[in-house]
Amino acid sequence: MASDRPRVLSGIQPTSGSFHLGNYLGAVRQWVALQESHDAFYMVVDLHALTIHPDPKELRARTRLAVAQLLAAGLDPERCTLFVQSHVPEHTQLAWIMNCLTGFGEAARMTQFKDKSAKQGADRTSVGLFAYPILQVADILLYQANEVPVGEDQRQHIELTRDLAERFNGRYGDTFTVPAPYILKETAKIYDLQEPSIKMSKSASAPKGLVNLLDEPKATAKKVKSAVTDTDTVVRYDLVDKPGVSNLLTIYSTLTGAGIGELEQRYEGKGYGALKTDLAEIVVDFVTPFRERTQQYLDDPETLDSILAKGAEKARAVAAETLSQAYDKVGLLPAKH
Ligand code: AQP
């Protein structure tokens, strides 16, 4: 892994029994590609998952499951650094420094926090959920990442990261790389199959609108075939007037590599039925081996643990160096050993 490559950093939460198509097309797929051209750090953000009070046993199992899915998707521990966030204690240590640098109002403006806290009510909303974007800032800055591959829903958090990096650098001298979001326009947002005006999401989507990669392939095919479209029959990409069909075209195009224009031509005069039937088959062809590979990694916990141990070691080497610079800059007295 050449160190002169630009660095990328990204994370995914172990908060579900399966990644969904939005996670995969919006984020993980890019991660796989970027390990070839970048010095890539990817993590399963288990500390972030605590903001929704998961069952402890389930959290542990889902953390393993997330790692297995990342490997099944094509992450290669020889080409990237793959680790679990809580294995690198520097994340919470730098987060404290970043908490102290963030304005209360600034954090309160984060739309994800506003949406989620409004949905679950003030009593169920933790300070952790409020501070989660600031932990994310620490996640990114620790690795001096140049780019952060995420879906569109994370753009505001990357902006906060940039602001805090610049603020720290301005106040204490150059310390952190100011990262840029890496958002692929075409797949930045995958929409719910039943409600194409909202993003596909594990918490907001009804089961019929959500394609989980580890679901039974037959059930997945059914969901694709019954995706909401419109009363017209013309297969055309138009996010405003035809959000449902456009979403299907995005998924089709990304999974197969065919251009949207090419697909519009291919389905001219054929109607939505043919498009949905073909796409259902394409999705099934993708998820079937994905499920098998995930299971193979889950069946070999020793290999998985050893991948994570190596990943944490590599990550800590970078994180410890950055944290020590930040501690020094803000004036914390170094401990003498
Ligand atoms: N629908 C989506 N389209 C494109 N990208 C998406 N991502 C999530 N949904 C979509 C991207 O997936 C990555 C992992 O994000 P995460 O671990 O934070 O997953 P999440 O946000 O918890 O997934 P959900 O389903 O969106 O969860 P809830 O419902 O809890 O908010 C990120 O890069 C994200 O952009």
Side-chain angles (χ1 to χ4, degrees), residues 23-147:
N23 298 140
Y24 176 70
L25 296 179
V28 176
R29 195 166 171 276
Q30 275 71 263
W31 297 13
V32 176
L34 287 168
Q35 64 185 348
E36 306 304 332
S37 52
H38 286 64
D39 182 13
F41 285 71
Y42 301 126
M43 61 186 167
V44 175
V45 289
D46 54 348
L47 296 173
H48 287 289
L50 290 178
T51 57
I52 57 160
H53 319 296
D55 170 76
K57 255 198 196 149
E58 200 167 76
L59 175 60
R60 247 187 300 276
R62 287 180 169 181
T63 302
R64 283 183 170 284
L65 182 61
V67 176
Q69 288 177 92
L70 290 174
L71 293 166
L75 288 193
D76 174 356
E78 299 297 321
R79 292 191 161 78
C80 69
T81 303
L82 175 61
F83 63 102
V84 170
Q85 185 187 27
S86 66
H87 294 177
V88 181
E90 284 80 2
H91 288 255
T92 44
Q93 293 174 289
L94 185 63
W96 180 251
I97 308 255
M98 292 299 149
N99 276 324
C100 295
L101 208 65
T102 311
F104 189 84
E106 192 175 24
R109 279 197 294 277
M110 294 298 118
T111 51
Q112 258 201 22
F113 169 74
K114 287 200 283 191
D115 291 350
K116 287 190 179 176
S117 57
K119 241 184 241 165
Q120 63 193 37
D123 288 349
R124 292 201 60 232
T125 298
S126 66
V127 173
L129 185 67
F130 182 71
Y132 129 82
I134 306 164
L135 176 57
Q136 196 174 321
V137 169
D139 297 338
I140 298 166
L141 297 186
L142 267 182
Y143 298 93
Q144 307 286 7
N146 305 97
E147 285 167 317

Side-chain angles (χ1 to χ4, degrees), residues 29-306:
R29 195 166 171 276
Q30 275 71 263
W31 297 13
V32 176
L34 287 168
Q35 64 185 348
E36 306 304 332
S37 52
H38 286 64
D39 182 13
F41 285 71
Y42 301 126
M43 61 186 167
V44 175
V45 289
D46 54 348
L47 296 173
H48 287 289
L50 290 178
T51 57
I52 57 160
H53 319 296
D55 170 76
K57 255 198 196 149
E58 200 167 76
L59 175 60
R60 247 187 300 276
R62 287 180 169 181
T63 302
R64 283 183 170 284
L65 182 61
V67 176
Q69 288 177 92
L70 290 174
L71 293 166
L75 288 193
D76 174 356
E78 299 297 321
R79 292 191 161 78
C80 69
T81 303
L82 175 61
F83 63 102
V84 170
Q85 185 187 27
S86 66
H87 294 177
V88 181
E90 284 80 2
H91 288 255
T92 44
Q93 293 174 289
L94 185 63
W96 180 251
I97 308 255
M98 292 299 149
N99 276 324
C100 295
L101 208 65
T102 311
F104 189 84
E106 192 175 24
R109 279 197 294 277
M110 294 298 118
T111 51
Q112 258 201 22
F113 169 74
K114 287 200 283 191
D115 291 350
K116 287 190 179 176
S117 57
K119 241 184 241 165
Q120 63 193 37
D123 288 349
R124 292 201 60 232
T125 298
S126 66
V127 173
L129 185 67
F130 182 71
Y132 129 82
I134 306 164
L135 176 57
Q136 196 174 321
V137 169
D139 297 338
I140 298 166
L141 297 186
L142 267 182
Y143 298 93
Q144 307 286 7
N146 305 97
E147 285 167 317
V148 188
V150 285
E152 185 61 43
D153 57 331
Q154 288 290 335
R155 185 184 289 278
Q156 196 188 25
H157 293 165
I158 310 302
E159 280 308 315
L160 178 70
T161 310
R162 294 171 57 84
D163 289 347
L164 290 178
E166 280 167 0
R167 192 171 309 158
F168 189 103
N169 290 347
R171 200 170 288 179
Y172 302 108
D174 262 359
T175 309
F176 295 115
T177 303
V178 180
Y182 177 94
I183 299 177
L184 277 197
K185 234 172 126 206
E186 312 83 64
T187 53
K189 218 172 190 179
I190 300 299
Y191 295 88
D192 184 300
L193 294 186
Q194 288 298 316
E195 260 187 85
S197 57
I198 62 166
K199 74 162 189 166
M200 186 179 286
S201 124
K202 65 175 175 290
S203 61
S205 292
K208 279 180 80 183
L210 176 70
V211 176
N212 276 323
L213 304 186
L214 296 179
D215 281 353
E216 194 45 56
K218 268 191 192 149
T220 295
K222 212 169 149 196
K223 283 184 199 180
V224 174
K225 285 184 192 162
S226 52
V228 161
T229 39
D230 50 64
T231 50
D232 187 17
T233 53
V234 181
V235 175
R236 182 167 49 82
Y237 187 87
D238 178 344
L239 266 183
V240 178
D241 291 330
K242 292 171 158 285
V245 179
S246 303
N247 191 37
L248 296 181
L249 284 171
T250 301
I251 297 170
Y252 196 137
S253 158
T254 324
L255 285 177
T256 61
I260 299 267
E262 193 183 326
L263 292 175
E264 287 173 339
Q265 271 182 9
R266 196 183 299 170
Y267 288 95
E268 201 180 322
K270 292 192 178 152
Y272 298 153
L275 174 76
K276 288 183 190 175
T277 305
D278 289 353
L279 180 59
E281 203 178 307
I282 287 158
V283 174
V284 166
D285 286 349
F286 170 71
V287 296
T288 305
F290 177 85
R291 274 162 47 105
E292 284 165 15
R293 284 197 300 271
T294 301
Q295 193 54 49
Q296 281 164 9
Y297 285 111
L298 287 176
D299 290 342
D300 186 2
E302 276 168 29
T303 302
L304 213 123
D305 285 341
S306 120

